[in-house]
Amino acid sequence: MALKPQQLGTDRVKQFWGWWLGELRQMVPGSVGRFFARQPATLAILIEQNIARFQLHSDKSEQLLGVLDLLACSDQELLAFRQSALANLPDRLTVELYLSPEQMLIRDQFLPLATEANLGNVLNFEIDRLTPFHREQVEFGYLPAGRFPEREKIKVQLFALPRRALDLLLSRLDKLGLSPDAVYPQLPRKPLAATLNLLPELMRPAVEPLWNNRAKQLGAVVLALLAAIALYPLYQLNRQLDSLEQQVADISGPAMVVGSKQTLLASRLAAQDTLVLRKNHMPSQLVIVQEVTRIMPDNTWVSRLRADDGGVNLQGESSKASDLIALLEQSERFQNVQFVSPITVNPATNMERYEIKMELAGVAQ
């Protein structure tokens, strides 16, 4: 009971302080306001095997908003998820998309030591040589991974993400009303380097100059106002508020630990249920191998077959690779059959190399 009058006085001071700051906020440029404001909340979207977990991080809390099969769900399901799980997002929000390493090409490259100061531009020109993609087909990021002065080399870890896969993810997120500020590979190290951002430059938020002339003038006005205000009473009240907040934090700490464990358990169970449901609707890989073996002619061999919920990918050589598309399209199990890359000739065998991607009929992509 002794704290009640003190708390009422503190509330009134906070109301006055909020009103005064609200009047000043209208004069503040956007960049300066963001600099002095609290850190915005972050919506982290973690995607593994097309399962997206939406995790909201703020200053003192972490909340799982939901789990969604981002690529397989319909537009109606996206709208329902947006209205239920994403209806109460904060106004100031940073959206970060995290992709699993399986969704991209990761390679270690050794470059001349002289390129260390200009790695981004060098990789931009060399991406066609370092990856199987053309520059316009891929977005890339990198991390310096070591220096070898005795060999005049620098080691770089290169991350390449096909633009088509990224565009598909961004279009699905756009239906949820979300536009990522950054796209990163999921790595254990934090914070992530800016060079790892796989989002195209044109889609990143614009950076407004912070210390412009208007900001300098405003800073002078703010300093003059602060000097004219008796800060000591507010300092005392802030100390009392800190004491109260510490008491609340001591009580809420154990509760947050329990809530975090419950959130993690719910996330894993939801992801497990989704994967089990999808597996029950996917044809077995043995059936896919049998069907491909039945269709392929004797003048063709397959060096690599990969099947997942994104479809089937075939690589190999054939005496006449151009006929394979028509043969595979005759199967009732495959649809949208297409070459992933141009047909090339293997000089050693004089056969045509091919890479084909196709979708499984009856399986939502």
Side-chain angles (χ1 to χ4, degrees), residues 75-106:
D75 290 349
Q76 291 78 9
E77 291 173 327
L78 287 174
L79 179 59
F81 184 83
R82 176 180 178 179
Q83 293 174 347
S84 60
L86 308 179
N88 298 316
L89 292 177
D91 293 334
R92 299 183 67 250
L93 183 68
T94 298
V95 180
E96 295 179 351
L97 180 62
Y98 293 88
L99 305 179
S100 62
E102 293 78 14
Q103 296 175 269
M104 61 192 70
L105 175 67
I106 303 176

PDB file of all heavy atoms in Angstrom, residues 75-106:
ATOM      1  N   ASP A  75      -3.873 -20.033 -51.294  1.00  0.00           N
ATOM      2  CA  ASP A  75      -4.006 -18.603 -51.003  1.00  0.00           C
ATOM      3  C   ASP A  75      -5.006 -18.372 -49.880  1.00  0.00           C
ATOM      4  O   ASP A  75      -4.842 -17.445 -49.070  1.00  0.00           O
ATOM      5  CB  ASP A  75      -4.456 -17.860 -52.265  1.00  0.00           C
ATOM      6  CG  ASP A  75      -3.363 -17.814 -53.311  1.00  0.00           C
ATOM      7  OD1 ASP A  75      -2.207 -18.157 -52.983  1.00  0.00           O
ATOM      8  OD2 ASP A  75      -3.659 -17.437 -54.453  1.00  0.00           O
ATOM      9  N   GLN A  76      -6.047 -19.200 -49.811  1.00  0.00           N
ATOM     10  CA  GLN A  76      -7.022 -19.053 -48.726  1.00  0.00           C
ATOM     11  C   GLN A  76      -6.396 -19.364 -47.376  1.00  0.00           C
ATOM     12  O   GLN A  76      -6.669 -18.684 -46.379  1.00  0.00           O
ATOM     13  CB  GLN A  76      -8.230 -19.977 -48.970  1.00  0.00           C
ATOM     14  CG  GLN A  76      -9.100 -19.573 -50.147  1.00  0.00           C
ATOM     15  CD  GLN A  76      -8.513 -19.966 -51.480  1.00  0.00           C
ATOM     16  OE1 GLN A  76      -7.526 -20.700 -51.529  1.00  0.00           O
ATOM     17  NE2 GLN A  76      -9.102 -19.484 -52.570  1.00  0.00           N
ATOM     18  N   GLU A  77      -5.522 -20.374 -47.349  1.00  0.00           N
ATOM     19  CA  GLU A  77      -4.844 -20.695 -46.088  1.00  0.00           C
ATOM     20  C   GLU A  77      -3.872 -19.584 -45.689  1.00  0.00           C
ATOM     21  O   GLU A  77      -3.711 -19.276 -44.507  1.00  0.00           O
ATOM     22  CB  GLU A  77      -4.098 -22.028 -46.237  1.00  0.00           C
ATOM     23  CG  GLU A  77      -5.039 -23.225 -46.360  1.00  0.00           C
ATOM     24  CD  GLU A  77      -4.293 -24.509 -46.678  1.00  0.00           C
ATOM     25  OE1 GLU A  77      -3.273 -24.428 -47.391  1.00  0.00           O
ATOM     26  OE2 GLU A  77      -4.710 -25.580 -46.214  1.00  0.00           O
ATOM     27  N   LEU A  78      -3.215 -18.981 -46.675  1.00  0.00           N
ATOM     28  CA  LEU A  78      -2.342 -17.842 -46.376  1.00  0.00           C
ATOM     29  C   LEU A  78      -3.121 -16.690 -45.777  1.00  0.00           C
ATOM     30  O   LEU A  78      -2.691 -16.053 -44.813  1.00  0.00           O
ATOM     31  CB  LEU A  78      -1.617 -17.388 -47.640  1.00  0.00           C
ATOM     32  CG  LEU A  78      -0.491 -18.276 -48.163  1.00  0.00           C
ATOM     33  CD1 LEU A  78       0.017 -17.769 -49.493  1.00  0.00           C
ATOM     34  CD2 LEU A  78       0.647 -18.343 -47.162  1.00  0.00           C
ATOM     35  N   LEU A  79      -4.291 -16.399 -46.354  1.00  0.00           N
ATOM     36  CA  LEU A  79      -5.109 -15.304 -45.843  1.00  0.00           C
ATOM     37  C   LEU A  79      -5.584 -15.601 -44.422  1.00  0.00           C
ATOM     38  O   LEU A  79      -5.572 -14.715 -43.559  1.00  0.00           O
ATOM     39  CB  LEU A  79      -6.310 -15.082 -46.767  1.00  0.00           C
ATOM     40  CG  LEU A  79      -7.279 -13.969 -46.354  1.00  0.00           C
ATOM     41  CD1 LEU A  79      -6.559 -12.635 -46.278  1.00  0.00           C
ATOM     42  CD2 LEU A  79      -8.453 -13.900 -47.318  1.00  0.00           C
ATOM     43  N   ALA A  80      -5.989 -16.850 -44.166  1.00  0.00           N
ATOM     44  CA  ALA A  80      -6.446 -17.210 -42.826  1.00  0.00           C
ATOM     45  C   ALA A  80      -5.300 -17.109 -41.818  1.00  0.00           C
ATOM     46  O   ALA A  80      -5.493 -16.638 -40.691  1.00  0.00           O
ATOM     47  CB  ALA A  80      -7.015 -18.631 -42.839  1.00  0.00           C
ATOM     48  N   PHE A  81      -4.105 -17.525 -42.212  1.00  0.00           N
ATOM     49  CA  PHE A  81      -2.950 -17.420 -41.310  1.00  0.00           C
ATOM     50  C   PHE A  81      -2.611 -15.957 -41.030  1.00  0.00           C
ATOM     51  O   PHE A  81      -2.280 -15.588 -39.906  1.00  0.00           O
ATOM     52  CB  PHE A  81      -1.755 -18.134 -41.939  1.00  0.00           C
ATOM     53  CG  PHE A  81      -0.540 -18.179 -41.065  1.00  0.00           C
ATOM     54  CD1 PHE A  81      -0.400 -19.151 -40.072  1.00  0.00           C
ATOM     55  CD2 PHE A  81       0.473 -17.235 -41.212  1.00  0.00           C
ATOM     56  CE1 PHE A  81       0.728 -19.196 -39.269  1.00  0.00           C
ATOM     57  CE2 PHE A  81       1.599 -17.273 -40.411  1.00  0.00           C
ATOM     58  CZ  PHE A  81       1.724 -18.242 -39.449  1.00  0.00           C
ATOM     59  N   ARG A  82      -2.707 -15.134 -42.053  1.00  0.00           N
ATOM     60  CA  ARG A  82      -2.426 -13.702 -41.867  1.00  0.00           C
ATOM     61  C   ARG A  82      -3.408 -13.066 -40.897  1.00  0.00           C
ATOM     62  O   ARG A  82      -3.028 -12.269 -40.033  1.00  0.00           O
ATOM     63  CB  ARG A  82      -2.478 -13.001 -43.222  1.00  0.00           C
ATOM     64  CG  ARG A  82      -2.295 -11.478 -43.152  1.00  0.00           C
ATOM     65  CD  ARG A  82      -2.358 -10.876 -44.528  1.00  0.00           C
ATOM     66  NE  ARG A  82      -2.230  -9.426 -44.485  1.00  0.00           N
ATOM     67  CZ  ARG A  82      -2.238  -8.635 -45.550  1.00  0.00           C
ATOM     68  NH1 ARG A  82      -2.361  -9.173 -46.759  1.00  0.00           N
ATOM     69  NH2 ARG A  82      -2.114  -7.333 -45.424  1.00  0.00           N
ATOM     70  N   GLN A  83      -4.676 -13.432 -41.010  1.00  0.00           N
ATOM     71  CA  GLN A  83      -5.688 -12.828 -40.147  1.00  0.00           C
ATOM     72  C   GLN A  83      -5.621 -13.346 -38.716  1.00  0.00           C
ATOM     73  O   GLN A  83      -5.990 -12.638 -37.778  1.00  0.00           O
ATOM     74  CB  GLN A  83      -7.077 -13.095 -40.734  1.00  0.00           C
ATOM     75  CG  GLN A  83      -7.323 -12.383 -42.059  1.00  0.00           C
ATOM     76  CD  GLN A  83      -8.643 -12.767 -42.703  1.00  0.00           C
ATOM     77  OE1 GLN A  83      -9.278 -13.751 -42.297  1.00  0.00           O
ATOM     78  NE2 GLN A  83      -9.063 -12.017 -43.700  1.00  0.00           N
ATOM     79  N   SER A  84      -5.129 -14.581 -38.544  1.00  0.00           N
ATOM     80  CA  SER A  84      -5.107 -15.154 -37.200  1.00  0.00           C
ATOM     81  C   SER A  84      -3.770 -14.928 -36.489  1.00  0.00           C
ATOM     82  O   SER A  84      -3.730 -14.415 -35.369  1.00  0.00           O
ATOM     83  CB  SER A  84      -5.401 -16.659 -37.267  1.00  0.00           C
ATOM     84  OG  SER A  84      -4.423 -17.306 -38.064  1.00  0.00           O
ATOM     85  N   ALA A  85      -2.663 -15.270 -37.158  1.00  0.00           N
ATOM     86  CA  ALA A  85      -1.362 -15.232 -36.491  1.00  0.00           C
ATOM     87  C   ALA A  85      -0.639 -13.898 -36.642  1.00  0.00           C
ATOM     88  O   ALA A  85       0.156 -13.526 -35.788  1.00  0.00           O
ATOM     89  CB  ALA A  85      -0.472 -16.355 -37.029  1.00  0.00           C
ATOM     90  N   LEU A  86      -0.904 -13.160 -37.731  1.00  0.00           N
ATOM     91  CA  LEU A  86      -0.141 -11.935 -38.013  1.00  0.00           C
ATOM     92  C   LEU A  86      -0.983 -10.683 -37.891  1.00  0.00           C
ATOM     93  O   LEU A  86      -0.603  -9.628 -38.405  1.00  0.00           O
ATOM     94  CB  LEU A  86       0.472 -12.020 -39.420  1.00  0.00           C
ATOM     95  CG  LEU A  86       1.292 -13.260 -39.745  1.00  0.00           C
ATOM     96  CD1 LEU A  86       1.798 -13.211 -41.172  1.00  0.00           C
ATOM     97  CD2 LEU A  86       2.451 -13.413 -38.767  1.00  0.00           C
ATOM     98  N   ALA A  87      -2.112 -10.774 -37.211  1.00  0.00           N
ATOM     99  CA  ALA A  87      -3.025  -9.634 -37.156  1.00  0.00           C
ATOM    100  C   ALA A  87      -2.525  -8.519 -36.253  1.00  0.00           C
ATOM    101  O   ALA A  87      -2.835  -7.351 -36.474  1.00  0.00           O
ATOM    102  CB  ALA A  87      -4.414 -10.096 -36.697  1.00  0.00           C
ATOM    103  N   ASN A  88      -1.754  -8.841 -35.220  1.00  0.00           N
ATOM    104  CA  ASN A  88      -1.372  -7.842 -34.215  1.00  0.00           C
ATOM    105  C   ASN A  88       0.133  -7.599 -34.193  1.00  0.00           C
ATOM    106  O   ASN A  88       0.734  -7.464 -33.131  1.00  0.00           O
ATOM    107  CB  ASN A  88      -1.843  -8.297 -32.825  1.00  0.00           C
ATOM    108  CG  ASN A  88      -3.355  -8.428 -32.747  1.00  0.00           C
ATOM    109  OD1 ASN A  88      -4.080  -7.558 -33.232  1.00  0.00           O
ATOM    110  ND2 ASN A  88      -3.831  -9.508 -32.163  1.00  0.00           N
ATOM    111  N   LEU A  89       0.755  -7.517 -35.375  1.00  0.00           N
ATOM    112  CA  LEU A  89       2.178  -7.238 -35.430  1.00  0.00           C
ATOM    113  C   LEU A  89       2.450  -5.779 -35.064  1.00  0.00           C
ATOM    114  O   LEU A  89       1.634  -4.898 -35.343  1.00  0.00           O
ATOM    115  CB  LEU A  89       2.714  -7.512 -36.844  1.00  0.00           C
ATOM    116  CG  LEU A  89       2.718  -8.979 -37.283  1.00  0.00           C
ATOM    117  CD1 LEU A  89       3.200  -9.093 -38.713  1.00  0.00           C
ATOM    118  CD2 LEU A  89       3.600  -9.821 -36.363  1.00  0.00           C
ATOM    119  N   PRO A  90       3.596  -5.476 -34.436  1.00  0.00           N
ATOM    120  CA  PRO A  90       3.925  -4.081 -34.099  1.00  0.00           C
ATOM    121  C   PRO A  90       4.072  -3.225 -35.351  1.00  0.00           C
ATOM    122  O   PRO A  90       4.363  -3.722 -36.454  1.00  0.00           O
ATOM    123  CB  PRO A  90       5.277  -4.212 -33.358  1.00  0.00           C
ATOM    124  CG  PRO A  90       5.352  -5.643 -32.944  1.00  0.00           C
ATOM    125  CD  PRO A  90       4.596  -6.430 -33.958  1.00  0.00           C
ATOM    126  N   ASP A  91       3.864  -1.910 -35.171  1.00  0.00           N
ATOM    127  CA  ASP A  91       4.000  -0.986 -36.297  1.00  0.00           C
ATOM    128  C   ASP A  91       5.448  -0.923 -36.779  1.00  0.00           C
ATOM    129  O   ASP A  91       5.716  -0.906 -37.978  1.00  0.00           O
ATOM    130  CB  ASP A  91       3.520   0.408 -35.884  1.00  0.00           C
ATOM    131  CG  ASP A  91       2.022   0.430 -35.613  1.00  0.00           C
ATOM    132  OD1 ASP A  91       1.308  -0.425 -36.193  1.00  0.00           O
ATOM    133  OD2 ASP A  91       1.569   1.273 -34.838  1.00  0.00           O
ATOM    134  N   ARG A  92       6.393  -0.851 -35.832  1.00  0.00           N
ATOM    135  CA  ARG A  92       7.808  -0.801 -36.185  1.00  0.00           C
ATOM    136  C   ARG A  92       8.350  -2.224 -36.137  1.00  0.00           C
ATOM    137  O   ARG A  92       8.545  -2.786 -35.073  1.00  0.00           O
ATOM    138  CB  ARG A  92       8.575   0.115 -35.227  1.00  0.00           C
ATOM    139  CG  ARG A  92       8.097   1.547 -35.256  1.00  0.00           C
ATOM    140  CD  ARG A  92       8.927   2.457 -34.356  1.00  0.00           C
ATOM    141  NE  ARG A  92      10.286   2.590 -34.854  1.00  0.00           N
ATOM    142  CZ  ARG A  92      11.350   2.071 -34.276  1.00  0.00           C
ATOM    143  NH1 ARG A  92      11.223   1.371 -33.159  1.00  0.00           N
ATOM    144  NH2 ARG A  92      12.562   2.250 -34.776  1.00  0.00           N
ATOM    145  N   LEU A  93       8.560  -2.783 -37.316  1.00  0.00           N
ATOM    146  CA  LEU A  93       8.897  -4.213 -37.388  1.00  0.00           C
ATOM    147  C   LEU A  93       9.956  -4.434 -38.457  1.00  0.00           C
ATOM    148  O   LEU A  93       9.845  -3.924 -39.573  1.00  0.00           O
ATOM    149  CB  LEU A  93       7.640  -5.025 -37.719  1.00  0.00           C
ATOM    150  CG  LEU A  93       7.795  -6.546 -37.771  1.00  0.00           C
ATOM    151  CD1 LEU A  93       8.064  -7.088 -36.379  1.00  0.00           C
ATOM    152  CD2 LEU A  93       6.547  -7.188 -38.355  1.00  0.00           C
ATOM    153  N   THR A  94      10.970  -5.189 -38.084  1.00  0.00           N
ATOM    154  CA  THR A  94      11.987  -5.632 -39.031  1.00  0.00           C
ATOM    155  C   THR A  94      11.728  -7.100 -39.357  1.00  0.00           C
ATOM    156  O   THR A  94      11.598  -7.925 -38.452  1.00  0.00           O
ATOM    157  CB  THR A  94      13.407  -5.473 -38.443  1.00  0.00           C
ATOM    158  OG1 THR A  94      13.643  -4.082 -38.182  1.00  0.00           O
ATOM    159  CG2 THR A  94      14.445  -5.977 -39.423  1.00  0.00           C
ATOM    160  N   VAL A  95      11.634  -7.412 -40.638  1.00  0.00           N
ATOM    161  CA  VAL A  95      11.343  -8.776 -41.084  1.00  0.00           C
ATOM    162  C   VAL A  95      12.623  -9.383 -41.649  1.00  0.00           C
ATOM    163  O   VAL A  95      13.232  -8.830 -42.577  1.00  0.00           O
ATOM    164  CB  VAL A  95      10.230  -8.796 -42.145  1.00  0.00           C
ATOM    165  CG1 VAL A  95       9.942 -10.233 -42.585  1.00  0.00           C
ATOM    166  CG2 VAL A  95       8.965  -8.145 -41.592  1.00  0.00           C
ATOM    167  N   GLU A  96      13.049 -10.508 -41.082  1.00  0.00           N
ATOM    168  CA  GLU A  96      14.258 -11.193 -41.528  1.00  0.00           C
ATOM    169  C   GLU A  96      13.898 -12.632 -41.902  1.00  0.00           C
ATOM    170  O   GLU A  96      13.253 -13.343 -41.135  1.00  0.00           O
ATOM    171  CB  GLU A  96      15.325 -11.189 -40.433  1.00  0.00           C
ATOM    172  CG  GLU A  96      15.829  -9.789 -40.101  1.00  0.00           C
ATOM    173  CD  GLU A  96      16.862  -9.786 -38.992  1.00  0.00           C
ATOM    174  OE1 GLU A  96      17.068 -10.852 -38.357  1.00  0.00           O
ATOM    175  OE2 GLU A  96      17.445  -8.715 -38.757  1.00  0.00           O
ATOM    176  N   LEU A  97      14.328 -13.046 -43.084  1.00  0.00           N
ATOM    177  CA  LEU A  97      14.061 -14.389 -43.599  1.00  0.00           C
ATOM    178  C   LEU A  97      15.339 -15.217 -43.494  1.00  0.00           C
ATOM    179  O   LEU A  97      16.398 -14.801 -43.958  1.00  0.00           O
ATOM    180  CB  LEU A  97      13.595 -14.298 -45.057  1.00  0.00           C
ATOM    181  CG  LEU A  97      13.269 -15.613 -45.767  1.00  0.00           C
ATOM    182  CD1 LEU A  97      12.117 -16.339 -45.081  1.00  0.00           C
ATOM    183  CD2 LEU A  97      12.930 -15.345 -47.228  1.00  0.00           C
ATOM    184  N   TYR A  98      15.234 -16.399 -42.851  1.00  0.00           N
ATOM    185  CA  TYR A  98      16.378 -17.287 -42.665  1.00  0.00           C
ATOM    186  C   TYR A  98      16.113 -18.593 -43.428  1.00  0.00           C
ATOM    187  O   TYR A  98      15.100 -19.258 -43.185  1.00  0.00           O
ATOM    188  CB  TYR A  98      16.603 -17.577 -41.186  1.00  0.00           C
ATOM    189  CG  TYR A  98      17.038 -16.369 -40.400  1.00  0.00           C
ATOM    190  CD1 TYR A  98      16.101 -15.513 -39.829  1.00  0.00           C
ATOM    191  CD2 TYR A  98      18.390 -16.067 -40.234  1.00  0.00           C
ATOM    192  CE1 TYR A  98      16.500 -14.388 -39.110  1.00  0.00           C
ATOM    193  CE2 TYR A  98      18.800 -14.960 -39.515  1.00  0.00           C
ATOM    194  CZ  TYR A  98      17.849 -14.127 -38.956  1.00  0.00           C
ATOM    195  OH  TYR A  98      18.245 -13.022 -38.249  1.00  0.00           O
ATOM    196  N   LEU A  99      17.022 -18.950 -44.324  1.00  0.00           N
ATOM    197  CA  LEU A  99      16.875 -20.146 -45.147  1.00  0.00           C
ATOM    198  C   LEU A  99      17.883 -21.208 -44.707  1.00  0.00           C
ATOM    199  O   LEU A  99      19.027 -20.892 -44.357  1.00  0.00           O
ATOM    200  CB  LEU A  99      17.099 -19.804 -46.623  1.00  0.00           C
ATOM    201  CG  LEU A  99      16.214 -18.686 -47.192  1.00  0.00           C
ATOM    202  CD1 LEU A  99      16.562 -18.429 -48.653  1.00  0.00           C
ATOM    203  CD2 LEU A  99      14.741 -19.032 -47.053  1.00  0.00           C
ATOM    204  N   SER A 100      17.464 -22.463 -44.769  1.00  0.00           N
ATOM    205  CA  SER A 100      18.352 -23.559 -44.384  1.00  0.00           C
ATOM    206  C   SER A 100      19.425 -23.741 -45.458  1.00  0.00           C
ATOM    207  O   SER A 100      19.212 -23.434 -46.639  1.00  0.00           O
ATOM    208  CB  SER A 100      17.550 -24.851 -44.212  1.00  0.00           C
ATOM    209  OG  SER A 100      16.946 -25.225 -45.437  1.00  0.00           O
ATOM    210  N   PRO A 101      20.607 -24.243 -45.078  1.00  0.00           N
ATOM    211  CA  PRO A 101      21.690 -24.429 -46.057  1.00  0.00           C
ATOM    212  C   PRO A 101      21.302 -25.348 -47.217  1.00  0.00           C
ATOM    213  O   PRO A 101      21.895 -25.251 -48.297  1.00  0.00           O
ATOM    214  CB  PRO A 101      22.818 -25.035 -45.206  1.00  0.00           C
ATOM    215  CG  PRO A 101      22.540 -24.582 -43.807  1.00  0.00           C
ATOM    216  CD  PRO A 101      21.030 -24.547 -43.703  1.00  0.00           C
ATOM    217  N   GLU A 102      20.337 -26.261 -47.004  1.00  0.00           N
ATOM    218  CA  GLU A 102      19.939 -27.159 -48.084  1.00  0.00           C
ATOM    219  C   GLU A 102      19.282 -26.423 -49.237  1.00  0.00           C
ATOM    220  O   GLU A 102      19.173 -26.966 -50.342  1.00  0.00           O
ATOM    221  CB  GLU A 102      18.980 -28.231 -47.550  1.00  0.00           C
ATOM    222  CG  GLU A 102      19.587 -29.220 -46.581  1.00  0.00           C
ATOM    223  CD  GLU A 102      19.748 -28.657 -45.186  1.00  0.00           C
ATOM    224  OE1 GLU A 102      19.146 -27.584 -44.913  1.00  0.00           O
ATOM    225  OE2 GLU A 102      20.465 -29.249 -44.366  1.00  0.00           O
ATOM    226  N   GLN A 103      18.821 -25.206 -49.026  1.00  0.00           N
ATOM    227  CA  GLN A 103      18.123 -24.460 -50.069  1.00  0.00           C
ATOM    228  C   GLN A 103      19.066 -23.674 -50.973  1.00  0.00           C
ATOM    229  O   GLN A 103      18.604 -22.999 -51.891  1.00  0.00           O
ATOM    230  CB  GLN A 103      17.111 -23.503 -49.425  1.00  0.00           C
ATOM    231  CG  GLN A 103      16.000 -24.220 -48.675  1.00  0.00           C
ATOM    232  CD  GLN A 103      15.090 -23.256 -47.940  1.00  0.00           C
ATOM    233  OE1 GLN A 103      15.306 -22.937 -46.788  1.00  0.00           O
ATOM    234  NE2 GLN A 103      14.067 -22.797 -48.623  1.00  0.00           N
ATOM    235  N   MET A 104      20.363 -23.745 -50.725  1.00  0.00           N
ATOM    236  CA  MET A 104      21.305 -22.943 -51.507  1.00  0.00           C
ATOM    237  C   MET A 104      22.589 -23.725 -51.758  1.00  0.00           C
ATOM    238  O   MET A 104      22.822 -24.784 -51.179  1.00  0.00           O
ATOM    239  CB  MET A 104      21.603 -21.632 -50.778  1.00  0.00           C
ATOM    240  CG  MET A 104      22.243 -21.809 -49.409  1.00  0.00           C
ATOM    241  SD  MET A 104      22.261 -20.275 -48.468  1.00  0.00           S
ATOM    242  CE  MET A 104      20.497 -20.087 -48.107  1.00  0.00           C
ATOM    243  N   LEU A 105      23.394 -23.198 -52.647  1.00  0.00           N
ATOM    244  CA  LEU A 105      24.704 -23.771 -52.951  1.00  0.00           C
ATOM    245  C   LEU A 105      25.750 -23.091 -52.074  1.00  0.00           C
ATOM    246  O   LEU A 105      25.850 -21.863 -52.060  1.00  0.00           O
ATOM    247  CB  LEU A 105      25.032 -23.561 -54.433  1.00  0.00           C
ATOM    248  CG  LEU A 105      26.422 -23.995 -54.886  1.00  0.00           C
ATOM    249  CD1 LEU A 105      26.560 -25.507 -54.808  1.00  0.00           C
ATOM    250  CD2 LEU A 105      26.699 -23.506 -56.297  1.00  0.00           C
ATOM    251  N   ILE A 106      26.537 -23.885 -51.323  1.00  0.00           N
ATOM    252  CA  ILE A 106      27.573 -23.357 -50.439  1.00  0.00           C
ATOM    253  C   ILE A 106      28.912 -23.947 -50.865  1.00  0.00           C
ATOM    254  O   ILE A 106      29.058 -25.169 -50.948  1.00  0.00           O
ATOM    255  CB  ILE A 106      27.285 -23.711 -48.967  1.00  0.00           C
ATOM    256  CG1 ILE A 106      25.899 -23.174 -48.554  1.00  0.00           C
ATOM    257  CG2 ILE A 106      28.359 -23.148 -48.059  1.00  0.00           C
ATOM    258  CD1 ILE A 106      25.508 -23.560 -47.143  1.00  0.00           C
TER     259      ILE A 106
END
